[in-house]
Amino acid sequence: MTQQIHRTASEAETIALGEQLARDLPARGVVLLIGNLGAGKTTLAKGIVHGLGAAPTDEVSSPTFTLIHEFGNGRVYHIDLYRLDELRELATLGLDEIFDRDALVLIEWGERFPRILPAERTEIRIRATGDDEREIEVTRLFEQTK
Amino acid sequence: MRILGIESSCDETAASVVEDGETVLSSVVASQMSTHGKYGGVVPELASREHLRAIVPVVREALEQAGTRLQDLDAIAATVGPGLVGSLLVGLTYAKSLCFARGLPLIAVNHIEGHIHAVVMESKRAGTPVEFPAMALVVSGGHTHLFEVREGFEYRLLGKTRDDAAGEAFDKVAKLLGFGYPGGPIIDRLAPHGDQSAVRFTFAKMKGNALDFSFSGLKTAVLRWVEAQDMESEIETRRAVRRDKPAPSIEEWLAVTPQRTLDLLASFQHAVIVELLTRARSAAEGMEARTVIVSGGVACNSGLRVAATSARFACPVYFPSPGLSTDNAAMIAAAAFPKLARREFASLDIAAEANLTLT
């Protein structure tokens, strides 16, 4: 396990941090974006997707209703499990197939379904410490830590 | 001329037969079918396997209700995107199979274009056809888009949401206040009981396209307001109401919703409506629109309908009837008629496109 903590003071800084984090993320793997409503999960996703050169930040919007967004011809997925409650519902989404692809998979509200997650993954926790200030903690979990 | 439309881009499996681009002979939506027993159990609407269960009975029901046989059809239209690929594939593949078996042309329709055509079709039938150029606001749980619609149905994207869709903001605010998800329609029915000027929500000025929307900040502002007000016990009461009864009546909700919360809901809804209509009006003025179209699930919102009617648009504003506002297949069939006239048919190997844009 490795861990880093970052602080941002505005939405623009959170996007910039996402762009910077994108450089260190593996080209394929699962990244959980963890935080309350309004913490800035989608904002950080904008930065990561843009940092990977998969889409401009304006193209990255909330996948809550649409569940799965795909960028850069399948290089990056942005998934939101907010409106799902049961594993049974999840089973029909085909997440396994997406995890098997050569893609970086960003997931909001994924921590609610630990059973479906690969042991080797990155967890990014976002906490609001003020109106615009955010504390962002990046944790890499490896296979042997399970 | 009859077209069978099939829609399966997200939650709903739907089929419809439309005649001559203006008469809806049938419009069946799986989650609204009274006879769920036909394919076993209630309909949890998510994703491809549920679409797979529903597609055959829904199409059969649509043909039956329309008194139409496959050989009476002139074409079959299906949504090719945007949406979930797995879900889109179900409707699209079924449409392809029927076309192949019956030698019918396949027409590929963009889901968002479908929403626009729900209004084009109904206004044509009402004798007040849409005049071009038109400006369309498509607003739902997944979309918040402004389009210029030119003669011949050419489209230009004028603006869209950069974060949450408007319908999503409604649903998330409802959930955080204990009304459950999705709760947009509950807010709409409670809002008239509150004071819309009680809580002032301001929108941050955005850089870039002035016609883009943002609803994430408003959602967060509501959350902060709720956190500051110590509302945990009333929220818990509402959650308990929902556990006892899946769909409480408005009277039951009113009984567990204090005035300050009703004021908050009214203020929130007002803020969303102002945001939608301000940008819609400036888009319509910018392109000198001769008609404004408002469509998509949020077009059901009665507050939005009233506000749009009293807003100072320089041209008529048309909404679809509620049944054609939310996802349906009549709009997909309707959007296919101009393509049928142009013989704009899709090849049977056309692929579903998750990120399909409208141009």
Side-chain angles (χ1 to χ4, degrees), chain A:
Chain A
M1 191 176 88
T2 61
Q3 204 167 41
Q4 309 162 301
I5 293 180
H6 306 268
R7 285 188 177 77
T8 61
S10 67
E11 199 175 323
E13 281 189 30
T14 303
I15 292 176
L17 175 68
E19 290 168 354
Q20 181 201 320
L21 292 176
R23 288 198 288 267
D24 300 327
L25 291 170
R28 71 172 284 180
V30 169
V31 178
L32 295 187
L33 300 172
I34 304 171
N36 271 333
L37 214 61
K41 298 179 290 298
T42 298
T43 305
L44 191 68
K46 279 175 183 282
I48 295 174
V49 172
H50 182 233
L52 293 168
T57 55
D58 282 358
E59 295 297 315
V60 182
S61 59
S62 168
T64 296
F65 185 79
T66 35
L67 303 168
I68 300 173
H69 287 171
E70 187 188 318
F71 299 101
N73 291 318
R75 280 196 295 130
V76 186
Y77 287 86
H78 182 199
I79 296 174
D80 188 337
L81 306 180
Y82 178 84
R83 67 194 184 97
L84 304 193
D85 289 318
E86 293 170 34
L87 273 173
R88 189 179 51 84
E89 296 173 317
L90 259 185
T92 69
L93 271 186
L95 291 186
D96 286 354
E97 289 155 42
I98 293 177
F99 293 167
D100 281 345
R101 289 179 200 164
D102 266 329
L104 187 73
V105 185
L106 308 172
I107 310 181
E108 301 189 26
W109 303 100
E111 70 282 5
R112 296 161 61 235
F113 303 97
R115 279 169 55 191
I116 64 147
L117 300 172
E120 187 172 330
R121 61 178 186 261
T122 304
E123 297 189 347
I124 303 182
R125 287 187 173 69
I126 311 172
R127 270 185 295 270
T129 49
D131 278 349
D132 297 318
E133 294 78 15
R134 299 290 185 271
E135 188 178 273
I136 294 155
E137 180 193 299
V138 183
T139 311
R140 294 280 298 276
L141 300 170
F142 300 104
E143 191 72 55
Q144 56 268 31
T145 62
K146 69 177 169 183

Side-chain angles (χ1 to χ4, degrees), chain B:
Chain B
M1 299 286 249
R2 289 181 182 187
I3 294 181
L4 168 69
I6 297 178
E7 152 69 29
S8 67
S9 63
C10 198
D11 288 5
E12 301 285 10
T13 319
S16 163
V17 179
V18 172
E19 191 167 54
D20 300 332
E22 55 179 287
T23 310
V24 180
L25 299 179
S26 66
S27 179
V28 178
V29 179
S31 63
Q32 292 160 11
M33 273 169 80
S34 52
T35 46
H36 288 156
K38 274 188 184 164
Y39 46 95
V42 193
V43 191
E45 303 116 66
L46 281 166
S48 49
R49 268 177 235 177
E50 303 305 335
H51 287 295
L52 210 47
R53 275 149 55 96
I55 188 78
V56 174
V58 164
V59 168
R60 192 174 291 153
E61 179 86 23
L63 289 169
E64 258 173 43
Q65 281 184 18
T68 301
R69 297 164 303 171
L70 285 171
Q71 57 262 42
D72 304 328
L73 295 171
D74 295 281
I76 297 177
T79 310
V80 284
L84 282 172
V85 168
S87 301
L88 287 163
L89 274 177
V90 175
L92 183 59
T93 308
Y94 192 56
K96 284 178 183 177
S97 321
L98 291 174
C99 286
F100 182 70
R102 291 285 168 172
L104 288 168
L106 174 71
I107 298 175
V109 174
N110 180 306
H111 178 83
I112 298 175
E113 181 176 23
H115 277 300
I116 293 170
H117 275 269
V119 174
V120 172
M121 170 174 63
E122 288 195 314
S123 54
K124 188 173 162 195
R125 180 146 179 85
T128 51
V130 165
E131 291 187 38
F132 300 98
M135 200 288 298
L137 166 63
V138 179
V139 56
S140 66
H143 308 284
T144 310
H145 288 80
L146 293 169
F147 285 100
E148 177 179 341
V149 186
R150 291 188 297 274
E151 191 85 54
F153 300 107
E154 287 173 16
Y155 304 91
R156 188 163 67 94
L157 180 66
L158 302 172
K160 65 181 166 60
T161 182
R162 294 190 188 172
D163 38 59
D164 299 1
E168 176 185 344
F170 270 100
D171 289 337
K172 283 188 166 167
V173 164
K175 181 171 179 176
L176 83 91
L177 287 165
F179 295 103
Y181 188 93
I186 299 173
I187 294 186
D188 185 30
R189 298 195 52 198
L190 292 177
H193 297 274
D195 172 6
Q196 66 178 36
S197 61
V199 187
R200 290 256 172 240
F201 292 112
T202 49
F203 283 88
K205 280 251 187 304
M206 281 192 302
K207 278 182 258 168
N209 184 359
L211 295 178
D212 276 352
F213 299 95
S214 168
F215 292 101
S216 176
L218 176 61
K219 169 191 73 185
T220 311
V222 172
L223 179 70
R224 298 272 175 275
W225 194 90
V226 169
E227 283 170 349
Q229 300 287 320
D230 184 24
M231 294 169 73
E232 221 19 74
S233 78
E234 64 160 287
I235 292 171
E236 198 38 59
T237 306
R238 285 191 289 270
R239 288 194 182 127
V241 167
R242 264 186 62 246
R243 279 194 293 273
D244 289 347
K245 194 176 175 186
S249 68
I250 284 305
E251 290 68 32
E252 286 165 312
W253 281 130
L254 278 170
V256 291
T257 309
Q259 191 58 45
R260 63 168 179 181
T261 306
L262 293 171
D263 290 347
L264 170 70
L265 293 176
S267 303
F268 162 75
Q269 171 158 311
H270 178 68
V272 175
I273 291 170
V274 168
E275 169 80 353
L276 289 173
L277 292 183
T278 305
R279 295 196 204 285
R281 193 165 46 221
S282 110
E285 279 167 10
M287 54 167 278
E288 296 181 17
R290 298 179 66 196
T291 309
V292 167
I293 293 169
V294 183
S295 193
V298 177
C300 288
N301 183 282
S302 53
L304 177 63
R305 285 180 183 240
V306 171
T309 316
S310 54
R312 295 181 305 277
F313 279 100
C315 62
V317 183
Y318 297 142
F319 285 77
S321 56
L324 293 191
S325 295
T326 48
D327 288 355
N328 67 86
M331 68 186 199
I332 302 303
F337 275 90
K339 297 181 200 292
L340 177 64
R342 292 196 299 262
R343 305 191 62 75
E344 195 182 310
F345 302 135
S347 150
L348 288 185
D349 62 7
I350 189 173
E353 266 193 75
N355 297 328
L356 187 65
T357 52
L358 184 57
T359 49

